Protein backbone atom coordinates (compact mmCIF):
# COMPACT_ATOMS: atom_id res chain seq x y z
CA UNK A 1 0.00 0.00 0.00
CA UNK A 2 1.46 3.37 -1.00
CA UNK A 3 1.86 6.38 1.30
CA UNK A 4 -1.08 8.27 -0.20
CA UNK A 5 -3.48 5.35 0.30
CA UNK A 6 -2.33 4.89 3.90
CA UNK A 7 -2.90 8.57 4.58
CA UNK A 8 -6.42 8.41 3.06
CA UNK A 9 -7.36 5.39 5.18
CA UNK A 10 -5.93 7.08 8.28
CA UNK A 11 -8.03 10.21 7.61
CA UNK A 12 -11.19 8.13 7.12
CA UNK A 13 -10.62 6.26 10.39
CA UNK A 14 -9.91 9.52 12.21
CA UNK A 15 -13.16 10.96 10.87
CA UNK A 16 -15.16 7.93 12.00
CA UNK A 17 -13.80 8.03 15.56
CA UNK A 18 -16.24 10.71 16.71
CA UNK A 19 -19.14 8.37 15.84
CA UNK A 20 -17.53 5.37 17.58
CA UNK A 21 -19.59 5.30 20.79
CA UNK A 22 -18.32 1.84 21.75
CA UNK A 23 -14.64 2.76 21.17
CA UNK A 24 -14.19 -0.16 18.79
CA UNK A 25 -11.51 1.68 16.79
CA UNK A 26 -9.44 2.26 19.92
CA UNK A 27 -9.89 -1.40 20.96
CA UNK A 28 -8.58 -2.52 17.56
CA UNK A 29 -5.56 -0.23 17.97
CA UNK A 30 -4.84 -1.66 21.43
CA UNK A 31 -5.10 -5.26 20.21
CA UNK A 32 -2.73 -4.43 17.36
CA UNK A 33 -0.25 -2.83 19.76
CA UNK A 34 -0.41 -5.83 22.11
CA UNK A 35 0.92 -8.05 19.32
CA UNK A 36 3.98 -5.86 18.77
CA UNK A 37 7.16 -7.47 20.07
CA UNK A 38 9.13 -4.86 21.98
CA UNK A 39 12.89 -4.62 21.89
CA UNK A 40 14.61 -4.83 25.25
CA UNK A 41 15.35 -1.08 25.38
CA UNK A 42 11.67 -0.29 24.76
CA UNK A 43 10.45 -2.10 27.86
CA UNK A 44 9.73 -0.08 30.99
CA UNK A 45 12.14 -2.15 33.08
CA UNK A 46 15.00 -1.68 30.58
CA UNK A 47 16.23 1.34 32.57
CA UNK A 48 17.11 1.05 36.25
CA UNK A 49 14.45 2.53 38.57
CA UNK A 50 15.15 6.04 39.87
CA UNK A 51 14.29 7.16 43.39
CA UNK A 52 13.93 10.77 44.51
CA UNK A 53 15.09 11.53 48.05
CA UNK A 54 13.49 14.34 50.06
CA UNK A 55 15.01 16.49 52.80
CA UNK A 56 13.41 15.64 56.15
CA UNK A 57 11.96 19.13 56.46
CA UNK A 58 10.15 19.00 53.09
CA UNK A 59 6.72 17.44 52.78
CA UNK A 60 6.10 15.33 49.69
CA UNK A 61 3.64 16.82 47.19
CA UNK A 62 0.42 15.13 46.13
CA UNK A 63 0.67 14.62 42.37
CA UNK A 64 -2.25 14.52 39.92
CA UNK A 65 -1.25 12.35 36.95
CA UNK A 66 -3.13 12.63 33.65
CA UNK A 67 -3.46 9.52 31.47
CA UNK A 68 -3.46 11.40 28.18
CA UNK A 69 -2.04 8.61 25.99
CA UNK A 70 -2.44 4.90 25.34
CA UNK A 71 0.03 2.29 24.14
CA UNK A 72 3.57 1.26 24.95
CA UNK A 73 5.07 4.66 24.23
CA UNK A 74 2.84 6.69 26.54
CA UNK A 75 4.59 9.02 28.99
CA UNK A 76 2.46 8.37 32.06
CA UNK A 77 3.70 4.83 32.93
CA UNK A 78 7.25 6.21 33.25
CA UNK A 79 5.95 9.17 35.26
CA UNK A 80 4.08 6.73 37.49
CA UNK A 81 7.07 4.43 38.04
CA UNK A 82 9.33 7.08 39.57
CA UNK A 83 6.48 8.47 41.70
CA UNK A 84 5.68 4.98 42.99
CA UNK A 85 9.33 4.00 43.59
CA UNK A 86 9.98 7.29 45.41
CA UNK A 87 6.92 6.91 47.62
CA UNK A 88 5.44 10.18 46.32
CA UNK A 89 1.64 10.13 46.72
CA UNK A 90 -0.26 10.41 43.45
CA UNK A 91 -3.65 9.75 41.90
CA UNK A 92 -4.91 9.79 38.35
CA UNK A 93 -7.05 12.74 37.32
CA UNK A 94 -9.48 13.04 34.41
CA UNK A 95 -8.59 16.55 33.31
CA UNK A 96 -11.26 16.61 30.60
CA UNK A 97 -14.30 16.43 32.90
CA UNK A 98 -16.41 19.46 33.82
CA UNK A 99 -15.33 18.95 37.45
CA UNK A 100 -11.60 19.31 36.73
CA UNK A 101 -11.26 22.48 38.90
CA UNK A 102 -12.62 20.72 41.98
CA UNK A 103 -10.37 17.74 41.29
CA UNK A 104 -7.24 19.84 40.75
CA UNK A 105 -7.75 21.56 44.13
CA UNK A 106 -6.71 18.32 45.88
CA UNK A 107 -3.26 18.24 44.29
CA UNK A 108 -0.01 20.15 44.62
CA UNK A 109 1.39 19.25 41.19
CA UNK A 110 -0.35 18.34 37.92
CA UNK A 111 1.63 16.20 35.45
CA UNK A 112 0.16 16.05 31.94
CA UNK A 113 1.87 14.98 28.74
CA UNK A 114 -0.22 17.16 26.46
CA UNK A 115 -0.86 15.47 23.07
CA UNK A 116 -0.04 17.26 19.81
CA UNK A 117 -3.51 17.41 18.24
CA UNK A 118 -4.79 20.96 17.76
CA UNK A 119 -7.84 20.59 20.00
CA UNK A 120 -5.76 18.90 22.72
CA UNK A 121 -3.20 21.70 22.67
CA UNK A 122 -5.78 24.48 22.85
CA UNK A 123 -7.46 22.75 25.78
CA UNK A 124 -4.13 22.20 27.55
CA UNK A 125 -2.99 25.80 27.12
CA UNK A 126 -6.27 27.13 28.53
CA UNK A 127 -6.40 24.76 31.49
CA UNK A 128 -2.73 24.85 32.48
CA UNK A 129 -2.71 28.65 32.39
CA UNK A 130 -5.79 28.63 34.64
CA UNK A 131 -4.32 26.00 37.01
CA UNK A 132 -1.00 27.83 37.26
CA UNK A 133 -2.26 31.44 37.41
CA UNK A 134 -5.43 31.17 39.47
CA UNK A 135 -5.01 27.93 41.44
CA UNK A 136 -1.29 28.38 42.17
CA UNK A 137 -0.29 24.81 41.32
CA UNK A 138 2.95 23.55 39.81
CA UNK A 139 2.32 22.02 36.40
CA UNK A 140 4.27 19.89 33.97
CA UNK A 141 4.35 21.36 31.39
CA UNK A 142 4.17 24.98 32.54
CA UNK A 143 2.25 27.71 30.74
CA UNK A 144 5.44 29.46 29.60
CA UNK A 145 6.69 26.47 27.60
CA UNK A 146 3.22 25.67 26.24
CA UNK A 147 3.18 29.17 24.73
CA UNK A 148 5.71 28.09 22.08
CA UNK A 149 5.02 24.32 21.96
CA UNK A 150 3.82 23.14 18.54
CA UNK A 151 3.90 26.72 17.26
CA UNK A 152 6.64 27.41 14.72
CA UNK A 153 5.69 31.08 14.40
CA UNK A 154 6.14 31.82 18.10
CA UNK A 155 9.37 29.80 18.17
CA UNK A 156 10.80 31.81 15.29
CA UNK A 157 9.92 35.07 17.02
CA UNK A 158 12.00 33.87 19.99
CA UNK A 159 14.93 32.83 17.77
CA UNK A 160 14.90 36.21 16.01
CA UNK A 161 14.51 38.27 19.18
CA UNK A 162 17.41 36.54 20.92
CA UNK A 163 19.59 36.40 17.78
CA UNK A 164 19.79 32.61 17.89
CA UNK A 165 21.20 30.98 14.73
CA UNK A 166 18.17 29.58 12.95
CA UNK A 167 17.34 28.80 9.34
CA UNK A 168 16.43 32.01 7.50
CA UNK A 169 12.67 32.32 7.86
CA UNK A 170 10.03 34.71 6.50
CA UNK A 171 6.77 35.01 8.48
CA UNK A 172 4.10 37.49 7.52
CA UNK A 173 0.37 38.10 7.89
CA UNK A 174 0.45 40.89 5.26
CA UNK A 175 -0.89 40.13 1.77
CA UNK A 176 1.20 42.88 0.20
CA UNK A 177 4.43 41.82 1.86
CA UNK A 178 3.91 38.13 1.04
CA UNK A 179 3.17 38.96 -2.59
CA UNK A 180 6.36 41.02 -2.80
CA UNK A 181 8.38 38.22 -1.19
CA UNK A 182 7.06 35.62 -3.65
CA UNK A 183 8.02 37.80 -6.61
CA UNK A 184 11.55 38.52 -5.38
CA UNK A 185 12.80 35.44 -3.52
CA UNK A 186 15.06 32.66 -4.76
CA UNK A 187 13.53 29.19 -5.17
CA UNK A 188 13.18 26.51 -3.95
CA UNK A 189 11.90 27.43 -0.47
CA UNK A 190 10.06 25.48 2.22
CA UNK A 191 6.51 26.26 3.32
CA UNK A 192 5.26 25.22 6.77
CA UNK A 193 2.10 25.72 8.75
CA UNK A 194 2.70 26.88 12.31
CA UNK A 195 1.59 23.69 14.04
CA UNK A 196 2.91 21.00 11.67
CA UNK A 197 4.49 17.99 13.41
CA UNK A 198 6.44 15.01 12.10
CA UNK A 199 6.89 16.67 8.68
CA UNK A 200 3.15 17.01 8.03
CA UNK A 201 2.37 20.44 6.63
CA UNK A 202 5.91 20.83 5.30
CA UNK A 203 5.97 21.55 1.55
CA UNK A 204 8.84 22.03 -0.88
CA UNK A 205 7.99 25.12 -2.96
CA UNK A 206 10.01 24.70 -6.13
CA UNK A 207 8.92 27.80 -8.03
CA UNK A 208 6.85 30.99 -8.00
CA UNK A 209 3.83 29.23 -9.49
CA UNK A 210 3.52 26.93 -6.45
CA UNK A 211 4.17 29.85 -4.08
CA UNK A 212 1.36 31.86 -5.69
CA UNK A 213 -1.01 28.91 -5.32
CA UNK A 214 -0.23 28.80 -1.58
CA UNK A 215 -0.66 32.58 -1.40
CA UNK A 216 -4.11 32.47 -3.03
CA UNK A 217 -5.36 29.65 -0.78
CA UNK A 218 -3.95 31.09 2.45
CA UNK A 219 -5.42 34.55 1.87
CA UNK A 220 -8.86 33.31 0.78
CA UNK A 221 -10.58 30.38 2.50
CA UNK A 222 -7.35 29.03 3.98
CA UNK A 223 -5.10 26.21 2.79
CA UNK A 224 -6.14 22.66 3.60
CA UNK A 225 -3.69 20.81 5.82
CA UNK A 226 -3.02 17.14 6.46
CA UNK A 227 -5.15 17.40 9.59
CA UNK A 228 -8.64 18.47 8.57
CA UNK A 229 -9.27 20.14 11.92
CA UNK A 230 -7.78 23.47 10.87
CA UNK A 231 -6.60 25.44 7.86
CA UNK A 232 -3.58 27.66 7.35
CA UNK A 233 -5.18 31.06 6.94
CA UNK A 234 -3.91 34.64 6.58
CA UNK A 235 -0.22 33.94 7.25
CA UNK A 236 2.75 32.23 5.63
CA UNK A 237 5.91 30.70 7.05
CA UNK A 238 8.55 30.31 4.35
CA UNK A 239 12.03 28.97 5.10
CA UNK A 240 15.17 28.92 3.05
CA UNK A 241 15.85 25.53 1.47
CA UNK A 242 19.26 24.91 3.00
CA UNK A 243 21.82 22.78 1.17
CA UNK A 244 22.71 20.37 3.95
CA UNK A 245 24.63 17.20 4.75
CA UNK A 246 21.60 14.92 4.49
CA UNK A 247 20.57 14.70 8.15
CA UNK A 248 19.21 16.71 11.02
CA UNK A 249 20.49 16.44 14.58
CA UNK A 250 18.15 16.40 17.56
CA UNK A 251 19.52 17.39 20.98
CA UNK A 252 17.31 16.61 24.00
CA UNK A 253 17.94 18.29 27.37
CA UNK A 254 16.45 17.45 30.77
CA UNK A 255 18.18 19.19 33.65
CA UNK A 256 21.91 18.75 33.12
CA UNK A 257 21.38 15.54 31.10
CA UNK A 258 21.91 15.76 27.35
CA UNK A 259 20.86 13.18 24.74
CA UNK A 260 20.60 13.17 20.97
CA UNK A 261 20.64 11.38 17.64
CA UNK A 262 20.92 11.96 13.91
CA UNK A 263 17.85 11.60 11.67
CA UNK A 264 17.89 10.86 7.94
CA UNK A 265 15.14 11.33 5.34
CA UNK A 266 13.54 8.46 3.46
CA UNK A 267 14.67 7.93 -0.12
CA UNK A 268 13.23 10.63 -2.38
CA UNK A 269 12.17 12.85 0.54
CA UNK A 270 13.84 15.99 1.92
CA UNK A 271 12.33 15.71 5.41
CA UNK A 272 14.13 13.79 8.16
CA UNK A 273 11.54 14.47 10.85
CA UNK A 274 9.10 11.58 11.14
CA UNK A 275 11.16 9.26 8.91
CA UNK A 276 12.11 6.90 11.75
CA UNK A 277 15.64 6.52 10.32
CA UNK A 278 18.01 7.23 13.21
CA UNK A 279 21.70 6.98 13.97
CA UNK A 280 22.97 7.26 17.52
CA UNK A 281 26.58 8.31 17.90
CA UNK A 282 28.84 10.92 19.48
CA UNK A 283 27.59 14.52 19.27
CA UNK A 284 29.96 17.46 18.64
CA UNK A 285 30.56 19.65 21.70
CA UNK A 286 29.81 22.86 19.75
CA UNK A 287 26.28 21.62 18.99
CA UNK A 288 25.70 20.66 22.62
CA UNK A 289 26.80 24.14 23.67
CA UNK A 290 24.53 25.71 21.06
CA UNK A 291 21.59 23.69 22.38
CA UNK A 292 22.47 24.85 25.91
CA UNK A 293 22.44 28.44 24.69
CA UNK A 294 19.01 28.00 23.08
CA UNK A 295 17.57 26.63 26.31
CA UNK A 296 19.00 29.54 28.33
CA UNK A 297 17.01 32.02 26.22
CA UNK A 298 13.74 30.14 25.81
CA UNK A 299 11.06 29.99 28.52
CA UNK A 300 11.70 27.28 31.11
CA UNK A 301 10.62 23.74 30.25
CA UNK A 302 11.19 20.37 31.90
CA UNK A 303 12.38 18.90 28.61
CA UNK A 304 13.63 20.76 25.56
CA UNK A 305 14.48 19.18 22.23
CA UNK A 306 16.24 21.30 19.60
CA UNK A 307 16.50 20.14 15.98
CA UNK A 308 19.49 21.38 13.97
CA UNK A 309 20.48 21.30 10.30
CA UNK A 310 24.11 21.55 9.17
CA UNK A 311 24.54 23.99 6.28
CA UNK A 312 26.91 22.71 3.57
CA UNK A 313 28.00 26.24 2.74
CA UNK A 314 29.68 26.99 6.07
CA UNK A 315 29.34 23.63 7.94
CA UNK A 316 27.59 25.44 10.80
CA UNK A 317 24.49 24.17 12.59
CA UNK A 318 21.24 26.13 12.47
CA UNK A 319 18.02 25.69 14.47
CA UNK A 320 15.05 24.16 12.66
CA UNK A 321 12.63 24.07 15.58
CA UNK A 322 12.20 23.11 19.24
CA UNK A 323 9.79 20.98 21.26
CA UNK A 324 8.97 20.35 24.92
CA UNK A 325 7.73 16.80 24.21
CA UNK A 326 9.09 14.24 21.75
CA UNK A 327 8.24 10.65 20.84
CA UNK A 328 10.16 8.44 23.26
CA UNK A 329 10.22 4.80 22.24
CA UNK A 330 13.42 3.76 23.97
CA UNK A 331 15.45 4.18 27.16
CA UNK A 332 18.44 4.67 24.84
CA UNK A 333 18.29 8.24 23.53
CA UNK A 334 22.06 8.53 23.05
CA UNK A 335 24.83 6.10 22.22
CA UNK A 336 28.58 6.73 22.11
CA UNK A 337 30.64 3.94 20.57
CA UNK A 338 27.46 1.81 20.71
CA UNK A 339 27.20 2.29 24.49
CA UNK A 340 23.90 3.83 25.67
CA UNK A 341 24.10 6.74 28.08
CA UNK A 342 23.89 10.49 28.51
CA UNK A 343 26.11 13.53 28.61
CA UNK A 344 26.27 15.32 31.97
CA UNK A 345 26.89 19.06 31.57
CA UNK A 346 28.77 21.07 34.18
CA UNK A 347 30.13 24.57 33.51
CA UNK A 348 30.06 24.02 29.76
CA UNK A 349 31.87 20.69 29.87
CA UNK A 350 30.23 17.40 28.92
CA UNK A 351 31.04 14.03 30.47
CA UNK A 352 29.59 10.81 29.08
CA UNK A 353 27.87 8.53 31.59
CA UNK A 354 26.86 5.04 30.48
CA UNK A 355 23.37 3.79 31.28
CA UNK A 356 19.75 3.69 30.18
CA UNK A 357 17.38 6.47 31.16
CA UNK A 358 13.70 7.18 30.65
CA UNK A 359 13.48 10.89 29.92
CA UNK A 360 10.08 11.03 31.61
CA UNK A 361 11.60 10.01 34.95
CA UNK A 362 14.25 12.71 34.62
CA UNK A 363 11.46 15.23 33.95
CA UNK A 364 9.72 14.25 37.20
CA UNK A 365 13.03 14.70 39.02
CA UNK A 366 13.20 18.26 37.68
CA UNK A 367 9.72 19.30 38.80
CA UNK A 368 10.23 17.69 42.22
CA UNK A 369 13.50 19.62 42.56
CA UNK A 370 11.47 22.77 41.92
CA UNK A 371 8.94 21.71 44.59
CA UNK A 372 11.75 21.11 47.11
CA UNK A 373 13.43 24.46 46.32
CA UNK A 374 10.13 26.35 46.72
CA UNK A 375 9.41 24.53 50.00
CA UNK A 376 12.85 25.32 51.44
CA UNK A 377 12.58 28.91 50.26
CA UNK A 378 9.21 29.21 51.98
CA UNK A 379 10.68 27.97 55.25
CA UNK A 380 13.57 30.44 55.02
CA UNK A 381 11.22 33.38 54.45
CA UNK A 382 9.09 32.61 57.48
Amino acid sequence: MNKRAKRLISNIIRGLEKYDKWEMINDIRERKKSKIKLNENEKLESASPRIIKFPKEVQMPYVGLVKSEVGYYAYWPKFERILKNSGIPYSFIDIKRSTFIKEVEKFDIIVWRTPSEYSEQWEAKDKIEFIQNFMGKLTLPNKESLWFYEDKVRQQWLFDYYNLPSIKTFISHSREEVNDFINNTNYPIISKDKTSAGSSGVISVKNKKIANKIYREVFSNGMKLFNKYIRQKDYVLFQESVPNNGFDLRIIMVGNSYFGYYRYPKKGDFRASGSGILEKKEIPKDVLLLAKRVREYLPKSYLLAVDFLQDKRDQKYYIIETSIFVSIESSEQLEVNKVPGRYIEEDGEFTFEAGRFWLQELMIEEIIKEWIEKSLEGRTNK
Side-chain angles (χ1 to χ4, degrees):
M1 188 183 297
N2 63 36
K3 189 175 179 181
R4 192 170 183 178
K6 286 181 180 178
R7 184 175 291 182
L8 177 62
I9 291 170
S10 177
N11 285 339
I12 292 171
I13 292 171
R14 195 176 290 132
L16 290 173
E17 271 191 279
K18 59 184 176 182
Y19 304 108
D20 184 14
K21 297 179 181 178
W22 299 277
E23 297 190 353
M24 293 173 64
I25 293 173
N26 194 53
D27 288 343
I28 292 169
R29 284 199 190 109
E30 287 302 298
R31 284 199 296 271
K32 190 175 179 181
K33 286 176 183 175
S34 69
K35 295 177 182 178
I36 297 173
K37 187 176 180 180
L38 292 179
N39 295 322
E40 181 61 31
N41 63 6
E42 294 172 337
K43 295 177 181 177
L44 181 59
E45 62 272 18
S46 65
S48 299
R50 301 185 67 82
I51 298 174
I52 302 171
K53 295 181 179 180
F54 280 74
K56 291 181 180 179
E57 62 271 31
V58 175
Q59 183 177 349
M60 287 186 176
Y62 185 24
V63 178
L65 185 54
V66 179
K67 281 187 180 181
S68 57
E69 307 163 284
V70 295
Y72 292 120
Y73 308 135
Y75 271 51
W76 68 262
K78 287 84 175 180
F79 288 149
E80 182 184 30
R81 187 176 80 153
I82 190 170
L83 293 172
K84 188 180 292 184
N85 289 334
S86 302
I88 299 172
Y90 73 94
S91 295
F92 292 106
I93 176 174
D94 188 346
I95 203 76
K96 291 187 170 293
R97 296 184 69 87
S98 62
T99 55
F100 85 92
I101 296 175
K102 185 177 180 181
E103 290 299 309
V104 166
E105 283 181 331
K106 299 185 294 188
F107 299 104
D108 300 302
I109 299 174
I110 299 297
V111 176
W112 180 5
R113 193 291 193 215
T114 58
S116 296
E117 288 82 1
Y118 302 115
S119 58
E120 295 276 5
Q121 278 305 310
W122 292 334
E123 177 193 359
K125 286 176 181 177
D126 287 345
K127 288 182 176 176
I128 283 179
E129 187 171 355
F130 181 83
I131 292 167
Q132 198 172 324
N133 282 357
F134 295 97
M135 303 185 75
K137 311 290 183 178
L138 275 180
T139 64
L140 187 168
N142 56 22
K143 65 173 185 176
E144 292 83 5
S145 60
L146 272 183
W147 182 82
F148 68 89
Y149 177 47
E150 298 290 25
D151 194 315
K152 291 177 173 58
V153 170
R154 290 180 175 184
Q155 289 179 23
Q156 192 61 45
W157 290 345
L158 290 168
F159 303 155
D160 291 344
Y161 183 70
Y162 291 115
N163 294 313
L164 296 169
S166 63
I167 295 175
K168 189 176 179 181
T169 302
F170 172 80
I171 298 169
S172 179
H173 295 71
S174 163
R175 287 172 176 261
E176 294 78 11
E177 187 183 22
V178 172
N179 184 58
D180 185 60
F181 178 87
I182 287 171
N183 287 321
N184 292 284
T185 196
N186 294 318
Y187 295 91
I189 57 175
I190 306 298
S191 173
K192 297 181 179 181
D193 78 280
K194 65 189 295 184
T195 50
S196 58
S199 290
S200 63
V202 180
I203 304 166
S204 177
V205 182
K206 297 178 180 179
N207 51 52
K208 187 163 73 171
K209 182 179 179 182
I210 298 172
N212 274 317
K213 184 177 184 295
I214 291 171
Y215 167 80
R216 288 192 298 271
E217 290 183 13
V218 163
F219 287 105
S220 56
N221 294 326
M223 187 169 69
K224 291 182 179 180
L225 302 174
F226 171 63
N227 191 311
K228 304 297 182 184
Y229 189 82
I230 194 172
R231 290 172 181 250
Q232 181 179 340
K233 181 160 172 51
D234 294 341
Y235 76 93
V236 298
L237 189 160
F238 290 140
Q239 276 188 342
E240 180 184 13
S241 183
V242 176
N244 60 81
N245 289 323
F247 63 85
D248 70 27
L249 175 53
R250 167 167 284 178
I251 307 295
I252 306 169
M253 297 163 283
V254 185
N256 66 342
S257 299
Y258 284 64
F259 304 84
Y261 43 79
Y262 298 77
R263 302 187 299 185
Y264 297 85
K266 292 178 180 178
K267 188 176 180 180
D269 201 345
F270 68 96
R271 300 163 296 187
S273 175
S275 71
I277 305 171
L278 308 179
E279 183 180 15
K280 297 175 184 177
K281 60 181 181 180
E282 189 173 359
I283 297 170
K285 180 182 176 181
D286 62 328
V287 189
L288 294 170
L289 286 171
L290 179 53
K292 180 177 184 287
R293 181 182 161 203
V294 173
R295 184 170 63 168
E296 287 170 349
Y297 281 107
L298 265 55
K300 177 185 174 180
S301 60
Y302 296 102
L303 178 151
L304 185 69
V306 187
D307 296 340
F308 296 98
L309 203 62
Q310 188 177 31
D311 194 324
K312 267 186 176 181
R313 295 167 294 189
D314 59 12
Q315 298 303 313
K316 292 182 180 179
Y317 284 87
Y318 294 89
I319 306 162
I320 306 170
E321 60 183 289
T322 66
S323 185
I324 62 169
F325 291 116
V326 293
S327 295
I328 302 171
E329 300 181 356
S330 168
S331 59
E332 298 177 3
Q333 294 294 310
L334 171 73
E335 290 181 10
V336 175
N337 298 322
K338 297 186 178 179
V339 177
R342 62 178 173 177
Y343 290 113
I344 300 293
E345 185 271 331
E346 186 175 357
D347 297 327
E349 295 298 324
F350 298 88
T351 305
F352 179 74
E353 177 187 309
R356 290 177 172 181
F357 306 90
W358 285 113
L359 302 185
Q360 297 93 333
E361 293 192 316
L362 299 180
M363 293 170 73
I364 292 294
E365 287 184 352
E366 289 304 305
I367 195 167
I368 295 300
K369 280 181 191 175
E370 187 175 346
W371 168 265
I372 291 171
E373 287 170 5
K374 286 180 181 291
S375 298
L376 292 174
E377 185 180 302
R379 293 176 66 89
T380 304
N381 293 334
K382 284 183 180 179

